[in-house]
Amino acid sequence: MTHDQTANQPSQPQRSDAEWRAILADKNAEPVAFEVTRHAATERPFTGKYNRVWDDGSYHCICCGALLFDASTKFDAGCGWPSFSEAVPGAIREIVDRSHGMVRTETVCASCDAHLGHVFPDGPAPTGLRYCMNSASLDFEPKG
Ligand SMILES: [Zn+2]
């Protein structure tokens, strides 16, 4: 099996809503985490626990633990959600999102399909990207 053949398929098994609720409860995820990750809800701006965190470390998928972002790529976009200029290669899958009368690029975890947020083309150099994420979708692991 080559990597290309699996590129568009989540590697994790499909789980029911009840299973995801139990997994998120086990991880002490935020109360909104289920709606955000499994039903593409958006946490209210400036409410997420990682919006103002600038410590060294790494950000993982709250659902499956996959590494998504290094903290060195996090920047202050002032938008009220944790923002990153670069994702770990292959960690994130992009989907065109035409909801709410806009065309945006949704981002999901490539491993388990958890909704993470959206990516916009207005970030800092060199990538020019802003991965606008929900804190509730992320699990921060401090360095060391
Ligand atoms: Zn995941």
Side-chain angles (χ1 to χ4, degrees):
M1 189 184 296
T2 70
H3 183 75
D4 283 347
Q5 285 173 310
T6 58
N8 292 319
Q9 291 296 324
S11 59
Q12 299 271 317
Q14 297 290 313
R15 297 183 192 277
S16 70
D17 282 1
E19 286 175 305
W20 282 121
R21 283 187 193 278
I23 288 167
L24 291 167
D26 274 353
K27 294 187 175 185
N28 285 320
E30 292 181 68
V32 296
F34 174 79
E35 287 299 321
V36 170
T37 57
R38 308 323 310 184
H39 295 287
T42 299
E43 69 193 12
R44 287 186 299 124
F46 302 102
T47 63
K49 62 181 176 183
Y50 299 133
N51 186 41
R52 304 297 306 171
V53 170
W54 306 109
D55 299 334
D56 276 352
S58 52
Y59 289 84
H60 300 251
C61 174
I62 190 68
C63 288
C64 74
L67 174 63
L68 302 176
F69 299 99
D70 189 281
S72 65
T73 68
K74 194 172 188 293
F75 70 100
D76 187 2
C79 62
W81 292 278
S83 300
F84 302 84
S85 57
E86 190 176 351
V88 168
I92 283 177
R93 194 159 59 84
E94 299 184 356
I95 301 169
V96 175
D97 173 6
R98 298 179 188 278
S99 66
H100 304 292
M102 296 175 274
V103 179
R104 296 179 294 170
T105 304
E106 180 189 358
T107 54
V108 301
C109 172
S111 298
C112 77
D113 261 355
H115 173 78
L116 304 172
H118 290 83
V119 58
F120 300 96
D122 58 8
T127 62
L129 297 175
R130 172 171 59 100
Y131 288 88
C132 183
M133 301 290 106
N134 290 278
S135 289
S137 299
L138 302 174
D139 190 19
F140 178 61
E141 192 174 293
K143 196 173 183 177

